[in-house]
PDB file of all heavy atoms in Angstrom:
ATOM      1  N   ASN B1648     -20.919  12.726 -16.878  1.00 98.00           N
ATOM      2  CA  ASN B1648     -21.243  13.400 -18.126  1.00 98.00           C
ATOM      3  C   ASN B1648     -22.467  14.283 -17.898  1.00 98.00           C
ATOM      4  O   ASN B1648     -23.578  13.956 -18.304  1.00 98.00           O
ATOM      5  CB  ASN B1648     -21.485  12.339 -19.211  1.00 98.00           C
ATOM      6  CG  ASN B1648     -21.651  12.949 -20.592  1.00 98.00           C
ATOM      7  OD1 ASN B1648     -21.831  14.160 -20.730  1.00 98.00           O
ATOM      8  ND2 ASN B1648     -21.594  12.110 -21.614  1.00 98.00           N
ATOM      9  N   THR B1649     -22.257  15.379 -17.161  1.00 98.00           N
ATOM     10  CA  THR B1649     -23.342  16.310 -16.853  1.00 98.00           C
ATOM     11  C   THR B1649     -22.842  17.727 -17.100  1.00 98.00           C
ATOM     12  O   THR B1649     -21.631  17.946 -17.222  1.00 98.00           O
ATOM     13  CB  THR B1649     -23.747  16.230 -15.363  1.00 98.00           C
ATOM     14  OG1 THR B1649     -22.636  16.692 -14.562  1.00 98.00           O
ATOM     15  CG2 THR B1649     -24.109  14.810 -14.942  1.00 98.00           C
ATOM     16  N   SER B1650     -23.763  18.673 -17.140  1.00 96.00           N
ATOM     17  CA  SER B1650     -23.322  20.052 -17.391  1.00 96.00           C
ATOM     18  C   SER B1650     -22.655  20.657 -16.156  1.00 96.00           C
ATOM     19  O   SER B1650     -21.929  21.632 -16.272  1.00 96.00           O
ATOM     20  CB  SER B1650     -24.493  20.910 -17.870  1.00 96.00           C
ATOM     21  OG  SER B1650     -25.619  20.658 -17.065  1.00 96.00           O
ATOM     22  N   ASP B1651     -22.898  20.059 -14.976  1.00 95.00           N
ATOM     23  CA  ASP B1651     -22.219  20.575 -13.774  1.00 95.00           C
ATOM     24  C   ASP B1651     -21.212  19.553 -13.237  1.00 95.00           C
ATOM     25  O   ASP B1651     -21.076  19.358 -12.026  1.00 95.00           O
ATOM     26  CB  ASP B1651     -23.233  20.946 -12.696  1.00 95.00           C
ATOM     27  CG  ASP B1651     -24.034  19.721 -12.225  1.00 95.00           C
ATOM     28  OD1 ASP B1651     -23.965  18.663 -12.898  1.00 95.00           O
ATOM     29  OD2 ASP B1651     -24.704  19.830 -11.190  1.00 95.00           O
ATOM     30  N   ALA B1652     -20.474  18.932 -14.157  1.00 97.00           N
ATOM     31  CA  ALA B1652     -19.563  17.840 -13.783  1.00 97.00           C
ATOM     32  C   ALA B1652     -18.562  18.274 -12.711  1.00 97.00           C
ATOM     33  O   ALA B1652     -18.258  17.516 -11.787  1.00 97.00           O
ATOM     34  CB  ALA B1652     -18.830  17.325 -15.018  1.00 97.00           C
ATOM     35  N   ASN B1653     -18.066  19.501 -12.818  1.00 97.00           N
ATOM     36  CA  ASN B1653     -17.049  19.911 -11.848  1.00 97.00           C
ATOM     37  C   ASN B1653     -17.610  20.080 -10.445  1.00 97.00           C
ATOM     38  O   ASN B1653     -16.915  19.829  -9.458  1.00 97.00           O
ATOM     39  CB  ASN B1653     -16.336  21.177 -12.315  1.00 97.00           C
ATOM     40  CG  ASN B1653     -15.286  20.851 -13.374  1.00 97.00           C
ATOM     41  OD1 ASN B1653     -14.260  20.286 -13.058  1.00 97.00           O
ATOM     42  ND2 ASN B1653     -15.596  21.151 -14.637  1.00 97.00           N
ATOM     43  N   ARG B1654     -18.870  20.493 -10.356  1.00 97.00           N
ATOM     44  CA  ARG B1654     -19.489  20.586  -9.040  1.00 97.00           C
ATOM     45  C   ARG B1654     -19.638  19.194  -8.428  1.00 97.00           C
ATOM     46  O   ARG B1654     -19.282  18.954  -7.266  1.00 97.00           O
ATOM     47  CB  ARG B1654     -20.886  21.250  -9.140  1.00 97.00           C
ATOM     48  CG  ARG B1654     -21.596  21.405  -7.790  1.00 97.00           C
ATOM     49  CD  ARG B1654     -23.030  21.917  -7.939  1.00 97.00           C
ATOM     50  NE  ARG B1654     -23.959  20.920  -8.463  1.00 97.00           N
ATOM     51  CZ  ARG B1654     -24.555  19.977  -7.734  1.00 97.00           C
ATOM     52  NH1 ARG B1654     -24.316  19.889  -6.441  1.00 97.00           N
ATOM     53  NH2 ARG B1654     -25.387  19.110  -8.283  1.00 97.00           N
ATOM     54  N   LEU B1655     -20.120  18.256  -9.225  1.00 98.00           N
ATOM     55  CA  LEU B1655     -20.308  16.887  -8.723  1.00 98.00           C
ATOM     56  C   LEU B1655     -18.961  16.238  -8.391  1.00 98.00           C
ATOM     57  O   LEU B1655     -18.852  15.460  -7.432  1.00 98.00           O
ATOM     58  CB  LEU B1655     -21.067  16.040  -9.745  1.00 98.00           C
ATOM     59  CG  LEU B1655     -22.531  16.444  -9.984  1.00 98.00           C
ATOM     60  CD1 LEU B1655     -23.144  15.574 -11.085  1.00 98.00           C
ATOM     61  CD2 LEU B1655     -23.363  16.328  -8.702  1.00 98.00           C
ATOM     62  N   ALA B1656     -17.931  16.576  -9.152  1.00 98.00           N
ATOM     63  CA  ALA B1656     -16.605  15.972  -8.923  1.00 98.00           C
ATOM     64  C   ALA B1656     -16.115  16.244  -7.509  1.00 98.00           C
ATOM     65  O   ALA B1656     -15.435  15.409  -6.903  1.00 98.00           O
ATOM     66  CB  ALA B1656     -15.597  16.511  -9.934  1.00 98.00           C
ATOM     67  N   GLU B1657     -16.485  17.407  -6.985  1.00 97.00           N
ATOM     68  CA  GLU B1657     -16.067  17.761  -5.619  1.00 97.00           C
ATOM     69  C   GLU B1657     -16.615  16.773  -4.586  1.00 97.00           C
ATOM     70  O   GLU B1657     -16.096  16.666  -3.485  1.00 97.00           O
ATOM     71  CB  GLU B1657     -16.563  19.173  -5.270  1.00 97.00           C
ATOM     72  CG  GLU B1657     -15.844  20.289  -5.985  1.00 97.00           C
ATOM     73  CD  GLU B1657     -14.367  20.309  -5.634  1.00 97.00           C
ATOM     74  OE1 GLU B1657     -14.051  20.190  -4.429  1.00 97.00           O
ATOM     75  OE2 GLU B1657     -13.536  20.393  -6.566  1.00 97.00           O
ATOM     76  N   LYS B1658     -17.711  16.113  -4.946  1.00 98.00           N
ATOM     77  CA  LYS B1658     -18.376  15.237  -3.980  1.00 98.00           C
ATOM     78  C   LYS B1658     -17.920  13.779  -4.077  1.00 98.00           C
ATOM     79  O   LYS B1658     -18.412  12.921  -3.344  1.00 98.00           O
ATOM     80  CB  LYS B1658     -19.892  15.295  -4.187  1.00 98.00           C
ATOM     81  CG  LYS B1658     -20.482  16.672  -3.892  1.00 98.00           C
ATOM     82  CD  LYS B1658     -21.959  16.707  -4.300  1.00 98.00           C
ATOM     83  CE  LYS B1658     -22.523  18.107  -4.130  1.00 98.00           C
ATOM     84  NZ  LYS B1658     -23.074  18.321  -2.770  1.00 98.00           N
ATOM     85  N   VAL B1659     -17.011  13.498  -4.988  1.00 98.00           N
ATOM     86  CA  VAL B1659     -16.556  12.116  -5.156  1.00 98.00           C
ATOM     87  C   VAL B1659     -15.667  11.708  -3.980  1.00 98.00           C
ATOM     88  O   VAL B1659     -14.700  12.396  -3.655  1.00 98.00           O
ATOM     89  CB  VAL B1659     -15.776  11.945  -6.478  1.00 98.00           C
ATOM     90  CG1 VAL B1659     -15.183  10.539  -6.558  1.00 98.00           C
ATOM     91  CG2 VAL B1659     -16.681  12.229  -7.663  1.00 98.00           C
ATOM     92  N   ILE B1660     -16.029  10.627  -3.336  1.00 98.00           N
ATOM     93  CA  ILE B1660     -15.232  10.123  -2.210  1.00 98.00           C
ATOM     94  C   ILE B1660     -14.536   8.817  -2.578  1.00 98.00           C
ATOM     95  O   ILE B1660     -13.385   8.601  -2.245  1.00 98.00           O
ATOM     96  CB  ILE B1660     -16.148   9.892  -0.973  1.00 98.00           C
ATOM     97  CG1 ILE B1660     -16.723  11.227  -0.489  1.00 98.00           C
ATOM     98  CG2 ILE B1660     -15.349   9.237   0.153  1.00 98.00           C
ATOM     99  CD1 ILE B1660     -17.733  11.053   0.637  1.00 98.00           C
TER     100      ILE B1660
END
Side-chain angles (χ1 to χ4, degrees):
Chain B
N1648 188 346
T1649 66
S1650 45
D1651 63 347
N1653 281 288
R1654 181 186 73 82
L1655 293 177
E1657 288 298 315
K1658 295 172 185 271
V1659 174
I1660 295 174

